[in-house]
Amino acid sequence: MAATNILKIDNLAFERNDTLLFEPVSLQLNSGEALHIEGANGAGKTTFFQILINLLEPSAGSIFFRGQTFSKCRYDYLSDILFIGHQSGVKATLSVEENLRWMSPDNTSAEKIALALQSVGLEHYANMPCYRLSAGQHRRVALARLVTTTASLWYLDEPFAALDKQGVAFIEGCMQQHLNSGGAMVFSSHQDLVKIEARSYRLQSYREVM
Amino acid sequence: MAATNILKIDNLAFERNDTLLFEPVSLQLNSGEALHIEGANGAGKTTFFQILINLLEPSAGSIFFRGQTFSKCRYDYLSDILFIGHQSGVKATLSVEENLRWMSPDNTSAEKIALALQSVGLEHYANMPCYRLSAGQHRRVALARLVTTTASLWYLDEPFAALDKQGVAFIEGCMQQHLNSGGAMVFSSHQDLVKIEARSYRLQSYREVM
Amino acid sequence: MYNYLSGGFSAYLYRDLLLGIRNKTDLVKPLIFFLLISALVPLAIAPEAERLAQLAPGIIWILAVLATLLSVERLFSDDLQDGSLEQMLLSPNMLILPILGKIAAHWLMIGLPLTLLSPLIGIWFSLPVVAVIPMILSLALGTAVLSLIGAVGAALTLPRQGGVLLALLVMPLYMPVLIFGSATIQSAVDGLDWTAPLAILAAFLAIAIALCPLAINAGLRLAKNG
Amino acid sequence: MYNYLSGGFSAYLYRDLLLGIRNKTDLVKPLIFFLLISALVPLAIAPEAERLAQLAPGIIWILAVLATLLSVERLFSDDLQDGSLEQMLLSPNMLILPILGKIAAHWLMIGLPLTLLSPLIGIWFSLPVVAVIPMILSLALGTAVLSLIGAVGAALTLPRQGGVLLALLVMPLYMPVLIFGSATIQSAVDGLDWTAPLAILAAFLAIAIALCPLAINAGLRLAKNG
Amino acid sequence: MNLHLQWTWFHRLGSPRWFYQKTQRWLPWLSFIMLSLLVAGLVWGLAYAPPDAKQGNSFRIIYVHVPASVVALAGYYLMAIAGAVGLIWRIKLSYMLMRSAAPIGAALTFIALVTGAIWGKPTWGAYWVWDARITSMLILLFLYIGVMALRHTYSSHEAADKASAILGLVGMVNVPIIYKSVDWWQTLHQPATIKFTGAPSMHPDMFMPLVVMIVGFYAFYAVSLILFTRAEILRREYRASWVKQLVTDKLAEK
Ligand code: HEM
Ligand SMILES: Nc1ncnc2c1ncn2[C@@H]1O[C@H](COP(=O)(O)OP(=O)(O)OP(=O)(O)O)[C@@H](O)[C@H]1O
Ligand SMILES: Nc1ncnc2c1ncn2[C@@H]1O[C@H](COP(=O)(O)OP(=O)(O)OP(=O)(O)O)[C@@H](O)[C@H]1O
Ligand SMILES: [Mg+2]
Ligand SMILES: [Mg+2]
C-alpha cells in the first residue's frame, strides 16, 4: 500500500489571551503512521487535539485532510475520525454494553460488540452500570471503541491513563493493527510505549516566565 | 530510628452482594516502609484504600494502627493519615493557591504553600482557577499536599496518573523523603517505579467466572 | 461511515430517555413530582374550592414553567462533564437533529407527564370540566415550547460559560407562553373561544422548533472556550 | 495535628461561600428565579391588587420552598464528584460542624437573599405593610429549616443525584414549614397574633438543627455504596 | 445467666431462618382467620347492615375505606420502627420487614385515598377537599413511595436499608406534625366544612361489621407482610446453607 498523505499541518499556532501556547506546529502524517505528541504537563497537547477536532479554532496556520483544507471537507473529515480524550464520554448510568453500542457505528453487529467487550476484558460486566466500574474499567469501556470503530484517523489523548499493564499491551496491539491496515493516528502519552513504533513530536511550550 | 509497626492488617476481606472481592489480605507496615499495592484493573485496589480510610466497612478481618484496633484510635488514626485518590478533591472554581491552602494543615505558613506550588511547578498558576488547568496540572495541585502535610501515613491511589516524567520523578522524591524521615505509605500504581524501593503486594481477585 | 454517535434525532432521543428511565420508578417520579408541587399550592394559599378554581389555570401553567426550569438545567451540563458533549459536537452531521432529539426526550419526560396528569390536578383544584380538553391541548403544545426555550438557556449557562446575562434574556420568553397558555384555559372556563390563544401557542411552537436549535448549536460550540 | 480540612464550621462555611461567589451562575440563578416567578404569577393569575394580596403569603412561601429544592441538590453532589466529600469524611472530628457550615453557607446564599428580597415581592403583590416584619422573620427562620431538611434529602439521594427523587423525599417534609410560614404572614394580614406560628417555626428550627445533621452524617457515610 | 438467655432469644428472633420456619406454621392459621373475618365482615356490612339515613347505600364503602385508612397509618409506624430497630441493633430481619412493609402500606394508603375520593363525590359533591386528615393521608402516600424509591439509589442492600430507615424515621416525626399543622391551618382560615371525627355515633348494626373488617384488614396486613418478608428472605439469603437445603428439598418433592 503506497503511503498516502492523510494529515498536513502548516504553521499551526494557538493564542490564548494574546499569548501563544506552543511554538507553531508543522507536521505531516501518512497512512500507516503514528505520531506521538509529547510535552510536559500543560504544554498544550489536549488543546492541540481540540484544535484538530475543530472544537477550538487555531489562531494561525492551516490543516489539510487528504490534501483538502478543512472547511472544504468538514463532513468527510469528521466522519472519518475517532477521538478519545481525558473525559471519555462514557455515561455513568448506562450499562457497559449500552455505552459501547451507543458509541459504535450504527451497523455494528452484536457479535462485534461482544468481541470488543471481551477484548477489553469486560465481558462479565456487560450489564453493569458504568458508575460502578473501577477507574481502569471505565476507561476500558471508552477504549473498546477502538475495536468497533471504522474511522481511519485516530486521535487518542492519553489512552493509557488508568490502564494496567495488560490493558496497555492490548491497546498498543489495537493501535498496531490499525496502522497495519493503513490507518493513521495521533496520540499523546506520558508513558513509554513498548510495541508501537511512532514518530514523536515534542510540543514546545511558548510560555515566557511571567 | 527503630522501625515501629504502624499498620497491621489481619485477614481483611470485603464482600459486595455476597461475593468476596479479593482474597483476604494480611499485611504489616513499619515506619520507613512503602507498600506497593498491585493488581489488575478492577482487582479492588481503590476499594481496599476505601476500607483503610474507613469509608467502607470490611466484611471480616481487622485493622490495627500502631497496635490499637481501629475503633479505639479513630481520632488519632484519622488525624495522622493523608489520602489522595482518583478524584483528588480539587475544587474546579477555586484558584490553585486557594485549593492548596484549603487542603493543607491549618497552620501552614504562606512560605510553605509557595514552596509546595513551586515544587510541583505551578508557581505561575497560583491565581488561576483550577478548571483552566491541564489534566496533569490539576493532579499536581492535589499532590502539592505531599509537601504541606504533617501526616505520617500516606495512602496514595494512583498518584502518578496524568503526570509527565518530571512530575513522576518529583513525586517519587517526595515519597522517598517521607520514608527517610520515618513515615510510611501504601500506594497503588500501574507504572513501574524508578526511585523508590517498595515491598509489593498483589491483590488477588476472587472473582469466579459467572 | 455513518456513525451512531452522529445518528441524529432518534439516537439521542432514545439515549436520553434511557438515561432518564433506568427503572420503573423513574417513570412514576415526574408524576409524583407534579402531584407534590400542586399539593403545596392549596396548603399555602386558600383551600376553598371556588377560590382554587379561579387560580387553577394560572397555577397549572406556573407549575409547567417551574418544572421545566428545574429540569432543563442539566440537559447539557452532564454531557459536558463526562465528555459526551465533545463527542456530540464531533458529529459530521448538523447538530440540529441531535439537539432536537434531546429536547424531545426532555419533553417526553416532563411536559408529557404533566399534560397527562393535568386532569387530575384540575380535579384537585375544582376546575370546570369544559376546560379540561383546552387545558390538555395547551399544555401539550406549550410545554414543548418551554423545553425548547429552556434548552437555549441551558446551553448559554453551561458551567462557567458566563452566559448568565443571556439566560436572563431568554427567561422572559417564557412569559408569552404562560400568558397564552393560561388564557386558553381561562377562555374555556369563561365560555369564550379558546382556539385563538391555542393557535398562537402552535405558532410559537413552530417558530421555536425552527430557531431554538440554531441558538443552542451556537451556544454549545462556545462551551469549550470557557 | 489539627487539619484545615477538618476545621469544622467556619472553614466549610467560608469555602462554600467562596465557591458560590466564584460560580456567578450559582448566585444569580436563585435571584433570576425569584424575580421571574414572581413576575409570572400576576401574569398567569388575575392582576387585581386585592386578589394578589390574598395570594401573597402563600406565593412567597412556595417560592422559598422551590428555590431551596432547586439549589440544595448540589450541596453534596459536587463534593462527591470531585472527591472532596471523601476528604471531608476523613476528618477526625465530628462531621456535624462541617455539615452545619455547609448548610449555613447554603442558607446565606438562598434563604437570606430571599428574605431580604421579600419586601420587594411584597410590594409587587400589594401586601399590607403590617405583614412585612412577620414575613421577614418567618422567612428567615423557615428557610433555614428548609435548608436543613433539604440537606437530609440531598445526602440520602447522593448516589443518584435525582432532582425528582429528592423532591419526592423532601416535599412531604416541607409541608409543615410551608403551612406555618404562610400562616404567620396571613395572621399578620388578618390582624391576628402572628407570634404563635412564628414560635412554632422557631421550634422546628431548633429540632432540625439538633436532628438533621445526624441524619445527614449517616446518609453521607452511605454515599460510597451507590 | 438470665441475661444470656435474653440475648439468645433476641438473636434468634432476629434470625431470618427462625422467622422463615416459624411463619411457615403460622401462615395457614392466619390466612384462615383473615379470610373468615373479611368474608364475614363484607357479607354483614354489604348485605345485612341497614342503609344510612342520609347517605343511603353509598355509605357502605366505609367497610373498605376505614379499615384501609387505619391499617395504612399503623403500617407506617410499624415500618419506621422496624427501620429504627435495624439501625440500632443491626438486625437484618427487621430491615427485611421494613422493606416489605412499604409496598403494602402504600397500596393500602392508595385504597384509602381512592375509596375516600369516590365516597366524597356523593357526600360532599367533590372528589377532593383539603382537609387535615385527607392531606396527611396524601403525604403518607408520598412518604411510602419515597421509602420505596430510595432503594434503587444504592447498590448494596445494607446501604439501601440504612438510608430507607433514616427516611422512615424522619417521616415518623413528620406525620403527626403534618396532621396537627393541617388541622390548625384549616381552622385558622375557615371553620372546617366537613369533619368526620364528630361523625354521627354509629348504630351498632353498622358499627360491628366495621370492627370485624378492621380486624380482618389487620390480619390481611399480617399475612401479606409475612409473605413479602419470606420472599425477601429467600432473595437475600440465597447463599445460606439452609436456603439451599430448602431448595433441594423442594425439588426432591417434585
Ligand atoms: C380521599 C379522601 C379521603 C381520605 C384520604 C380519607 C382518609 C381517612 C383516614 C386517614 C381516616 C382515619 C382512620 C383513623 O382514624 O385511624 C378515615 C376515617 C374515616 N373516613 Fe375518610 N377519607 C376520605 C374521604 C372520606 C369521605 C368522603 C367520607 C364520608 C363522608 C369519609 C368517612 C370516614 C369515616 C366515617 C371514617 C371513620 C371515622 C373516624 O374514625 O373518624 N372519608 N378516612
Ligand atoms: N480556558 C483556559 N483559559 C486559560 N488557560 C487555559 C485554559 N484551558 C487550558 N489552559 C492552559 O493551557 C495550557 C495547556 O493545557 P492542555 O490541557 O492543552 O495541556 P496538556 O499538554 O494536555 O497537559 P497534560 O499533560 O497535563 O494533559 C495549560 O497551561 C492550561 O493552564
Ligand atoms: N458500587 C459498586 N457495586 C458493585 N460493584 C462495584 C461497585 N464499586 C466497584 N465495584 C466493582 O469492584 C471492583 C473493584 O473496583 P476498584 O475500583 O476497587 O478496582 P481497582 O483495583 O481500583 O481498579 P483500577 O486499577 O481500575 O483503579 C470492580 O470490579 C468494580 O466493578
Ligand atoms: Mg492533556
Ligand atoms: Mg482504582
Side-chain angles (χ1 to χ4, degrees):
Chain A
M1 204 172 347
T4 54
N5 179 270
I6 295 210
L7 198 67
K8 183 155 170 272
I9 297 172
D10 246 5
N11 257 311
L12 185 84
F14 183 75
E15 273 181 11
R16 214 179 255 132
N17 301 327
D18 301 318
T19 323
L20 279 182
L21 183 59
F22 41 71
E23 295 280 352
V25 177
S26 295
L27 273 179
Q28 291 237 9
L29 187 71
N30 294 331
S31 67
E33 273 188 347
L35 185 69
H36 181 176
I37 303 287
E38 291 183 285
N41 287 142
K45 301 178 293 298
T46 300
T47 311
F48 181 63
F49 279 112
Q50 288 188 331
I51 298 169
L52 287 184
I53 62 176
N54 198 33
L55 285 188
L56 287 177
E57 259 184 55
S59 320
S62 38
I63 306 175
F64 299 89
F65 175 65
R66 298 188 194 277
Q68 285 184 298
T69 59
F70 181 81
S71 52
K72 284 228 179 98
C73 61
R74 191 174 169 281
Y75 185 91
D76 291 342
Y77 178 65
L78 289 179
S79 33
D80 207 16
I81 62 172
L82 171 85
F83 170 69
I84 299 181
H86 289 298
Q87 270 84 39
S88 45
V90 173
K91 279 280 164 202
T93 41
L94 294 187
S95 76
V96 171
E97 188 179 355
E98 283 163 348
N99 259 302
L100 184 58
R101 166 149 295 289
W102 160 254
M103 298 193 297
S104 304
D106 227 1
N107 47 6
T108 312
S109 66
E111 292 83 52
K112 188 90 180 237
I113 300 264
L115 173 74
L117 286 184
Q118 203 186 349
S119 332
V120 295
L122 292 177
E123 65 273 31
H124 299 307
Y125 295 84
N127 295 318
M128 194 181 259
C130 288
Y131 63 85
R132 293 208 179 132
L133 297 179
S134 80
Q137 289 168 334
H138 204 268
R139 191 85 189 145
R140 280 161 184 249
V141 178
L143 289 168
R145 286 174 71 189
L146 298 185
V147 177
T148 60
T149 186
T150 52
S152 70
L153 178 53
W154 291 3
Y155 293 133
L156 308 176
D157 194 5
E158 297 283 338
F160 307 123
L163 292 187
D164 60 16
K165 296 240 167 64
Q166 179 241 330
V168 172
F170 168 72
I171 298 303
E172 287 194 48
C174 270
M175 289 162 72
Q176 187 60 56
Q177 200 178 336
H178 180 61
L179 294 179
N180 293 345
S181 63
M185 72 181 63
V186 183
F187 68 94
S188 74
S189 168
H190 294 300
Q191 281 168 261
D192 291 320
L193 297 174
V194 188
K195 284 193 194 167
I196 304 174
E197 222 177 275
R199 199 145 44 92
S200 75
Y201 183 93
R202 211 174 166 77
L203 269 193
Q204 293 295 348
S205 167
Y206 189 82
R207 194 163 214 293
E208 307 123 320
V209 176
M210 281 183 275
Chain B
M1 207 172 344
T4 53
N5 179 270
I6 296 211
L7 198 67
K8 183 156 171 272
I9 296 172
D10 245 5
N11 258 312
L12 185 85
F14 183 75
E15 273 182 9
R16 216 180 250 128
N17 298 326
D18 302 317
T19 322
L20 278 183
L21 184 59
F22 40 71
E23 295 281 351
V25 176
S26 295
L27 272 179
Q28 291 237 13
L29 187 72
N30 294 332
S31 67
E33 273 188 347
L35 186 70
H36 182 176
I37 304 287
E38 291 183 284
N41 287 141
K45 301 177 293 299
T46 300
T47 311
F48 182 63
F49 278 112
Q50 288 187 333
I51 298 169
L52 287 183
I53 61 175
N54 199 32
L55 286 189
L56 288 176
E57 259 184 57
S59 319
S62 39
I63 305 175
F64 299 90
F65 176 65
R66 299 187 191 278
Q68 285 185 298
T69 60
F70 182 80
S71 53
K72 285 229 179 97
C73 61
R74 191 173 170 282
Y75 186 91
D76 291 341
Y77 178 65
L78 288 180
S79 32
D80 208 18
I81 62 172
L82 170 85
F83 169 70
I84 300 182
H86 288 299
Q87 271 83 39
S88 44
V90 172
K91 280 280 165 203
T93 40
L94 294 187
S95 76
V96 171
E97 188 179 356
E98 282 162 348
N99 260 302
L100 184 58
R101 167 149 295 289
W102 162 255
M103 298 193 296
S104 304
D106 227 2
N107 47 8
T108 312
S109 65
E111 291 82 52
K112 189 92 180 232
I113 301 262
L115 174 73
L117 287 184
Q118 204 186 349
S119 330
V120 295
L122 291 177
E123 66 271 31
H124 299 308
Y125 295 84
N127 295 317
M128 195 181 259
C130 288
Y131 63 85
R132 296 228 170 111
L133 297 180
S134 81
Q137 290 168 334
H138 204 269
R139 191 87 189 142
R140 280 162 184 248
V141 178
L143 289 167
R145 286 174 71 190
L146 297 184
V147 177
T148 60
T149 185
T150 52
S152 69
L153 178 54
W154 291 2
Y155 293 132
L156 307 176
D157 193 6
E158 296 284 338
F160 307 124
L163 291 187
D164 59 16
K165 295 240 165 68
Q166 179 244 328
V168 173
F170 168 72
I171 298 303
E172 286 195 51
C174 270
M175 289 160 72
Q176 187 59 55
Q177 199 179 336
H178 180 61
L179 295 178
N180 292 346
S181 64
M185 72 181 65
V186 183
F187 68 96
S188 75
S189 168
H190 293 301
Q191 281 167 260
D192 291 320
L193 297 174
V194 189
K195 285 193 194 166
I196 305 174
E197 222 176 277
R199 202 148 41 95
S200 76
Y201 182 92
R202 212 178 164 76
L203 271 193
Q204 294 295 349
S205 169
Y206 190 81
R207 193 161 215 294
E208 307 125 319
V209 175
M210 282 183 275
Chain C
M1 250 161 281
Y2 179 73
N3 187 297
Y4 197 31
L5 270 174
S6 61
F9 187 78
S10 56
Y12 275 87
L13 172 67
Y14 174 74
R15 190 199 62 165
D16 272 27
L17 282 179
L18 200 62
L19 282 172
I21 304 166
R22 281 279 74 185
N23 48 42
K24 272 171 249 140
T25 41
D26 287 339
L27 269 181
V28 193
K29 277 180 210 156
L31 298 178
I32 295 172
F33 179 72
F34 289 120
L35 287 179
L36 274 168
I37 308 197
S38 33
L40 285 183
V41 177
L43 288 182
I45 304 175
E48 302 111 61
E50 327 111 62
R51 209 156 150 203
L52 277 180
Q54 289 181 324
L55 301 180
I59 289 172
I60 289 173
W61 267 96
I62 291 177
L63 273 187
V65 170
L66 280 177
T68 313
L69 263 183
L70 214 83
S71 53
V72 85
E73 190 186 358
R74 286 176 55 192
L75 195 60
F76 301 110
S77 68
D78 285 357
D79 284 3
L80 178 70
Q81 272 190 345
D82 64 22
S84 43
L85 186 69
E86 233 168 37
Q87 298 290 343
M88 177 167 131
L89 292 174
L90 274 183
S91 149
N93 299 307
M94 286 286 280
L95 274 194
I96 309 294
L97 289 180
I99 289 173
L100 281 176
K102 284 180 75 70
I103 295 175
H106 180 260
W107 180 77
L108 284 176
M109 289 187 294
I110 302 289
L112 187 65
L114 177 59
T115 305
L116 296 180
L117 209 69
S118 60
L120 188 65
I121 301 179
I123 292 180
W124 261 3
F125 290 178
S126 323
L127 191 76
V129 182
V130 282
V132 170
I133 299 284
M135 174 174 72
I136 293 180
L137 292 178
S138 71
L139 279 174
L141 293 178
T143 50
V145 183
L146 294 181
S147 289
L148 282 157
I149 298 176
V152 176
L156 293 175
T157 46
L158 269 181
R160 294 183 284 278
Q161 207 189 312
V164 180
L165 278 180
L166 284 172
L168 254 177
L169 296 182
V170 168
M171 291 306 162
L173 294 178
Y174 277 176
M175 299 206 174
V177 182
L178 187 85
I179 293 174
F180 286 102
S182 52
T184 308
I185 311 180
Q186 194 62 56
S187 308
V189 172
D190 300 347
L192 304 173
D193 171 35
W194 48 268
T195 51
L198 193 67
I200 296 181
L201 278 184
F204 283 168
L205 181 57
I207 298 174
I209 289 185
L211 297 185
C212 289
L214 297 177
I216 295 167
N217 182 9
L220 292 181
R221 293 208 178 269
L222 289 177
K224 268 289 144 186
N225 296 308
Chain D
M1 253 161 277
Y2 180 71
N3 188 299
Y4 196 30
L5 270 174
S6 61
F9 187 79
S10 56
Y12 276 87
L13 173 67
Y14 173 74
R15 191 198 63 164
D16 272 26
L17 283 180
L18 199 62
L19 283 173
I21 292 166
R22 283 293 150 73
N23 255 351
K24 279 175 222 110
T25 1
D26 284 1
L27 272 188
V28 183
K29 256 184 211 155
L31 288 182
I32 299 182
F33 179 78
F34 291 143
L35 293 178
L36 178 75
I37 304 288
S38 24
L40 287 182
V41 173
L43 286 181
I45 301 173
E48 304 110 59
E50 326 111 65
R51 208 156 150 204
L52 277 181
Q54 288 180 325
L55 301 180
I59 288 172
I60 289 172
W61 267 96
I62 292 178
L63 274 185
V65 166
L66 288 171
T68 315
L69 204 64
L70 206 86
S71 53
V72 86
E73 186 185 358
R74 286 176 53 196
L75 194 60
F76 301 111
S77 70
D78 284 357
D79 284 2
L80 178 72
Q81 275 190 345
D82 64 21
S84 43
L85 185 72
E86 238 168 30
Q87 299 291 342
M88 176 166 131
L89 293 173
L90 273 182
S91 150
N93 299 306
M94 285 286 279
L95 272 194
I96 309 293
L97 289 180
I99 289 172
L100 282 177
K102 284 180 74 71
I103 295 175
H106 180 259
W107 179 78
L108 285 176
M109 289 187 293
I110 303 289
L112 188 63
L114 176 60
T115 306
L116 298 179
L117 213 67
S118 60
L120 187 67
I121 302 180
I123 292 177
W124 256 357
F125 288 180
S126 331
L127 191 75
V129 182
V130 282
V132 170
I133 298 285
M135 173 173 73
I136 292 180
L137 291 178
S138 73
L139 280 174
L141 291 179
T143 51
V145 183
L146 295 182
S147 290
L148 282 157
I149 298 177
V152 176
L156 289 177
T157 53
L158 204 45
R160 271 291 164 78
Q161 300 170 29
V164 176
L165 179 61
L166 174 66
L168 170 57
L169 298 192
V170 162
M171 287 268 221
L173 308 179
Y174 276 179
M175 301 222 162
V177 183
L178 185 81
I179 291 171
F180 286 106
S182 54
T184 309
I185 311 180
Q186 193 63 56
S187 309
V189 173
D190 299 347
L192 303 174
D193 172 34
W194 49 268
T195 52
L198 194 67
I200 296 181
L201 279 184
F204 283 170
L205 182 57
I207 299 175
I209 288 184
L211 297 185
C212 288
L214 297 176
I216 295 167
N217 181 12
L220 290 180
R221 296 208 175 270
L222 298 176
K224 276 286 146 188
N225 293 299
Chain E
M1 174 64 200
N2 200 355
L3 193 80
H4 176 74
L5 264 184
Q6 249 178 11
W7 276 106
T8 48
W9 171 81
F10 196 64
H11 275 279
R12 201 146 36 90
L13 202 72
S15 139
R17 181 183 183 182
W18 175 87
F19 180 87
Y20 193 89
Q21 288 166 349
K22 270 283 178 269
T23 51
Q24 181 104 39
R25 265 181 279 151
W26 298 348
L27 260 182
W29 293 103
L30 263 177
S31 315
F32 176 73
I33 296 174
M34 170 191 89
L35 275 180
S36 34
L37 282 173
L38 287 182
V39 170
L42 272 181
V43 172
W44 191 356
L46 296 188
Y48 293 97
D52 186 81
K54 274 184 257 156
Q55 300 181 22
N57 278 324
S58 72
F59 97 97
R60 292 185 198 278
I61 202 168
I62 199 174
Y63 296 116
V64 179
H65 172 73
V66 173
S69 313
V70 171
V71 179
L73 272 167
Y76 188 81
Y77 282 86
L78 187 138
M79 180 183 80
I81 290 168
V85 169
L87 272 183
I88 298 167
W89 285 291
R90 299 178 163 223
I91 295 175
K92 273 195 206 166
L93 177 63
S94 65
Y95 280 139
M96 297 181 195
L97 280 171
M98 173 190 70
R99 170 160 200 193
S100 314
I104 307 173
L108 285 171
T109 313
F110 188 71
I111 294 174
L113 283 171
V114 170
T115 51
I118 294 172
W119 199 3
K121 192 66 184 171
T123 42
W124 311 330
Y127 285 110
W128 190 268
V129 295
W130 292 94
D131 158 276
R133 189 169 250 169
I134 297 180
T135 308
S136 43
M137 208 60 182
L138 186 67
I139 301 305
L140 192 72
L141 179 68
F142 292 139
L143 286 172
Y144 270 129
I145 295 177
V147 170
M148 285 159 69
L150 195 56
R151 305 206 57 84
H152 298 282
T153 307
Y154 296 89
S155 65
S156 88
H157 288 313
E158 301 98 80
D161 287 338
K162 280 185 197 162
S164 313
I166 294 169
L167 183 66
L169 280 177
V170 177
M172 193 161 84
V173 180
N174 198 53
V175 171
I177 294 183
I178 288 181
Y179 187 81
K180 272 279 149 249
S181 58
V182 179
D183 213 11
W184 200 71
W185 153 79
Q186 262 286 10
T187 49
L188 189 79
H189 281 275
Q190 48 152 103
T193 31
I194 312 101
K195 259 217 147 164
F196 31 49
T197 26
S201 47
M202 245 190 253
H203 192 276
D205 284 349
M206 292 175 174
F207 187 64
M208 282 316 292
L210 185 59
V211 171
V212 173
M213 281 303 284
I214 290 178
V215 179
F217 261 67
Y218 269 113
F220 164 75
Y221 185 82
V223 169
S224 15
L225 187 62
I226 287 173
L227 286 176
F228 272 64
T229 309
R230 284 164 63 90
E232 186 70 21
I233 288 174
L234 293 186
R235 207 174 305 139
R236 291 207 199 173
E237 304 274 296
Y238 69 101
R239 286 177 159 261
S241 54
W242 69 269
V243 177
K244 286 181 180 156
Q245 185 63 43
L246 198 79
V247 174
T248 41
D249 289 354
K250 275 266 143 63
L251 287 179
E253 270 175 38
K254 289 185 183 165

